[in-house]
Amino acid sequence: MAARINTVMKMSIEILPGQSEMLTVSLGFAPFPFFVQANGSVPQKWDYAMRMADRALYAAKDRRDAWTGFWGGPMPSGYSLDEILDQPDAAVRAGDIEVVASYPLPSHG
């Protein structure tokens, strides 16, 4: 879906008569709920998913004209939610968060 939105929104826009620039689109997304506890409860509010989507957006903006998404799942042990939100790279390396993107991702092996 992110790829389709990116493709549909790209267009040439006229800056001045006879001068145009290509409009680029960067997208970031994350699901809600982002993590679910083993008992099925949702340990966070909507703002946690929004904060992860915002981090994904900045990752996409670094590449320009790209999309990036973070996917959670079962709540990982060993992290607080705030630690994951502040530094998601450790959870990505541990495999607790999946990253999907329109560009090649570095290996965390």
Side-chain angles (χ1 to χ4, degrees):
M1 185 174 189
R4 285 188 278 164
I5 292 170
N6 182 277
T7 300
V8 167
M9 291 186 71
K10 281 192 267 188
M11 67 179 79
S12 181
I13 57 172
E14 189 169 357
I15 305 291
L16 295 170
Q19 292 183 337
S20 62
E21 293 283 330
M22 190 64 162
L23 176 68
T24 62
V25 179
S26 298
L27 303 166
F29 58 90
F32 178 80
F34 193 77
F35 287 123
V36 178
Q37 292 180 329
N39 66 5
S41 68
V42 177
Q44 73 273 6
K45 297 178 184 169
W46 179 256
D47 67 312
Y48 284 96
M50 293 299 295
R51 285 174 60 188
M52 291 304 288
D54 188 55
R55 288 201 165 272
L57 175 60
Y58 280 98
K61 283 182 174 186
D62 283 345
R63 294 289 182 153
R64 191 166 170 97
D65 198 31
W67 55 264
T68 306
F70 288 129
W71 291 98
M75 180 65 194
S77 60
Y79 303 102
S80 72
L81 286 171
D82 288 328
E83 288 172 323
I84 293 170
L85 290 169
D86 291 339
Q87 297 294 322
D89 291 345
V92 169
R93 284 191 297 275
D96 295 319
I97 296 176
E98 182 181 348
V99 181
V100 292
S102 62
Y103 51 88
L105 298 169
S107 172
H108 293 291

